[in-house]
Amino acid sequence: MTRFAATPRRLRRVSSLRATFTVSFAAVAAAVTVLVGFLSYDAAARLVRVDQQTVFAEVVQDLRDQVREHPLQPQDFASPDTDHDGPLDDIIRPSRTDIQVLGPGGAMVDRGSPPLPVNDHDRAIADDGTAGELEEHKDVDVDGDRYRIATVALGGGRGAVQIAQQFSDTEDLLRELQQRTVLLVGAVVVAAGLFGWWLARRITRRLVRLAGAAEDVARTGRLGIQVPVTGYDEVARLGRSFDRMLGRLAQSEEDQRRLVQDAGHELRTPLTSLRTNISMLRRIDELPPDAREELVADLALESRELTDLVNELVALAAGQSDTEPVRQLDLAELAEDVAIVARRRTGREITVHVTGDTAVDGRPTALQRAVSNLVENAAKFDRGSKSPIEVVVAGPAPRTGAGQSGDPGGGTDMSARPGPVRVEVLDRGPGIGDDDLVRVFDRFYRAADARSLPGSGLGLSIVREVATAHGGTPFAFHREGGGTVIGFTVGR
């Protein structure tokens, strides 16, 4: 039920993201298109109207100049000349205007096509004695069309000439342009919405797969799910990061599982021995004194082994998620402290040799545990030898160059070259077989010669974990003249 209930919610979230992306894309496209369309239409309409008004005003002004310069009669405008050089042709040829001629008192001399309306103001202009007097009507309805009309007096009461310019056709053209602009805006919005939906689907398709992988992990708990990753953009980076995170979690889970399995296997032997010895305690009064002492000693040994094993398991588990802060420390000083404690515990002679710069950035407790495990391991296997256990801490050598301040003549620059610091523990014990050298750092691995000795097989595994966490590597090889050299490096 949970699985099928979660899917619609995921689809709703994805659909909402796609819808938001689509609407946003369409809204931006609509806003831009509407703005551009409005500005374009407004500029075109203003240009056309201003142009028509300018032409009409120029024609009217030319007519006024004509009648002022020459005493023209109404008959001069009644019909065009055959030579097309009369005053009427000068008016209608450049402007495509309509002409209607009025006589004295506003009498119709030459009716326009269509006939233009004549009112009292026009009749008064026709009787006006001053040539060029003007009466203008900006918006007149003539047979359903809109006209701009100007009446110009001929002077001396001889009549007047009416000039009409139709602008309803222009307005129809502008309305058609407006309708086409609206249709274009609508088409652009629809196209932008479709493109936005396609783009959102293309982008969210990888997010859907990524969300599906995350939900599969949450539902099944399986961390080995393959995350589909394509491309190199932010979504691809998110997918790769998620895939690496799952890989880290899967590796951590595998390490924990293996640690639990190995720990269970190793704990079974001391627990079985303890259980057997405890069952013998019920008959301890029946045992001879030597057997009693042996039983008690065996119990003490097994309890110590079990305690050491548990402590090392805890240390190993803590090392995998160590939260100890990193700080600068001197590995040579740390090795000296470990040697002091080891001398007191084992009674062995332990020497520390230091070369180069041994300062590193690391976790003191973890590094001290690693060095201590190496020294204790050497003391355990090098029991019969009289030679001291040697601890060598070697850092990069100082570089030689110009002297420091106060030493103008030259000298040694004590700053070290970059490089790892090496910690080695040398013993004269029986050594490690060639087949065992490659496995001594595995968890719970114990060579055949060492299985009779106390220990859990985790000490060197802890060394490997600490070295890896500090950017270094563990190593082990035969020592010339007998014995073993075992240690690790720490990155700088």
Side-chain angles (χ1 to χ4, degrees):
M1 181 64 68
T2 304
R3 176 180 180 180
F4 294 101
T7 302
R9 285 199 298 270
R10 183 184 71 182
L11 292 178
R12 283 197 297 270
R13 288 196 299 269
V14 174
S15 299
S16 176
L17 180 61
R18 289 180 179 174
T20 301
F21 196 97
T22 303
V23 171
S24 301
F25 200 89
V28 172
V32 173
T33 307
V34 167
L35 180 62
V36 173
F38 171 77
L39 294 177
S40 301
Y41 170 79
D42 183 69
R46 184 180 293 110
L47 182 64
V48 170
R49 290 182 179 124
V50 170
D51 183 65
Q52 284 194 331
Q53 290 177 2
T54 301
V55 171
F56 184 75
E58 291 176 353
V59 171
V60 172
Q61 186 61 40
D62 290 342
L63 177 60
R64 296 178 70 186
D65 293 341
Q66 279 185 338
V67 299
R68 285 170 181 169
E69 295 175 0
H70 307 286
L72 299 175
Q73 299 297 324
Q75 291 76 13
D76 294 332
F77 297 92
S79 59
D81 295 340
T82 56
D83 295 336
H84 300 287
D85 57 355
L88 179 60
D89 294 305
D90 292 339
I91 296 173
I92 64 175
R93 186 167 54 241
S95 61
R96 297 188 306 172
T97 54
D98 293 326
I99 301 297
Q100 181 168 280
V101 183
L102 303 179
M108 191 69 65
V109 176
D110 187 5
R111 187 179 300 277
S113 179
L116 303 178
V118 180
N119 56 26
D120 294 337
H121 296 286
D122 298 324
R123 295 185 184 95
I125 289 295
D127 292 334
D128 198 292
T130 303
E133 285 297 311
L134 177 66
E135 177 68 24
E136 189 171 359
H137 311 287
K138 296 185 180 299
D139 190 0
V140 179
D141 189 333
V142 180
D143 295 339
D145 293 324
R146 312 302 295 176
Y147 282 82
R148 186 183 292 111
I149 300 176
T151 304
V152 180
L154 297 177
R158 294 189 298 270
V161 176
Q162 288 184 302
I163 303 175
Q165 184 187 53
Q166 182 181 357
F167 61 84
S168 59
D169 290 343
T170 302
E171 295 301 322
D172 292 340
L173 177 63
L174 293 177
R175 278 194 295 272
E176 183 178 357
L177 176 62
Q178 187 180 36
Q179 292 173 355
R180 291 186 178 184
T181 301
V182 171
L183 292 176
L184 178 62
V185 169
V188 170
V189 170
V190 172
L194 292 175
F195 180 75
W197 176 84
W198 174 82
L199 187 61
R201 184 172 179 271
R202 182 180 178 85
I203 293 175
T204 58
R205 180 169 53 194
R206 291 181 292 168
L207 290 176
V208 170
R209 293 200 297 264
L210 186 59
E215 290 179 352
D216 289 341
V217 171
R219 185 178 64 253
T220 62
R222 294 186 294 107
L223 300 175
I225 293 177
Q226 184 68 29
V227 179
V229 179
T230 56
Y232 299 95
D233 55 5
E234 287 77 4
V235 178
R237 289 171 54 194
L238 176 62
R240 291 188 182 91
S241 299
F242 185 70
D243 190 50
R244 286 194 296 268
M245 181 188 70
L246 288 181
R248 287 284 189 88
L249 290 175
Q251 183 62 42
S252 177
E253 185 181 52
E254 175 62 22
D255 291 343
Q256 292 178 359
R257 184 188 62 80
R258 188 157 50 89
L259 178 62
V260 171
Q261 288 179 347
D262 293 343
H265 175 74
E266 292 297 322
L267 286 170
R268 189 175 297 114
T269 300
L271 287 175
T272 302
S273 179
L274 280 174
R275 190 163 51 247
T276 302
N277 290 332
I278 290 173
S279 64
M280 293 292 295
L281 287 176
R282 298 176 182 176
R283 302 167 48 198
I284 193 170
D285 295 335
E286 304 175 6
L287 299 176
D290 294 342
R292 293 179 189 177
E293 293 180 2
E294 184 180 355
L295 177 60
V296 173
D298 195 18
L299 282 172
L301 177 62
E302 293 293 343
S303 62
R304 283 196 303 269
E305 289 290 328
L306 185 60
T307 301
D308 292 341
L309 178 59
V310 171
N311 289 338
E312 290 187 347
L313 283 173
V314 172
L316 185 61
Q320 293 176 346
S321 58
D322 202 346
T323 57
E324 183 184 10
V326 175
R327 67 178 180 85
Q328 191 174 46
L329 56 94
D330 191 338
L331 268 181
E333 296 179 359
L334 186 143
E336 288 284 0
D337 295 339
V338 170
I340 292 172
V341 175
R343 292 188 195 105
R344 186 173 61 250
R345 287 181 178 177
T346 63
R348 294 291 303 274
E349 181 182 357
I350 300 173
T351 61
V352 179
H353 306 282
V354 181
T355 60
D357 179 19
T358 59
V360 297
D361 293 329
R363 296 181 173 90
T365 303
L367 289 172
Q368 186 174 18
R369 183 186 304 127
V371 177
S372 179
N373 285 353
L374 291 177
V375 174
E376 291 178 0
N377 185 76
K380 179 174 63 175
F381 287 97
D382 187 10
R383 290 186 173 183
S385 174
K386 300 296 183 179
S387 301
I389 296 173
E390 300 179 29
V391 180
V392 178
V393 184
R399 60 174 180 261
T400 302
Q404 303 294 316
S405 60
D407 184 17
T412 300
D413 184 357
M414 296 307 295
S415 59
R417 295 189 302 271
V421 177
R422 186 180 180 93
V423 179
E424 297 179 351
V425 176
L426 300 81
D427 63 64
R428 288 298 183 183
I432 303 175
D434 293 336
D435 295 337
D436 297 324
L437 277 175
V438 296
R439 301 191 58 190
V440 291
F441 294 102
D442 292 346
R443 290 175 183 170
F444 301 107
Y445 180 77
R446 302 180 71 185
D449 297 339
R451 290 172 187 171
S452 60
L453 298 175
S456 62
L458 288 175
L460 296 183
S461 177
I462 294 175
V463 173
R464 183 187 62 183
E465 297 287 342
V466 172
T468 303
H470 286 79
T473 56
F475 57 85
F477 55 88
H478 300 296
R479 184 182 183 184
E480 186 178 354
T484 304
V485 179
I486 189 167
F488 62 95
T489 60
V490 177
R492 294 171 66 89

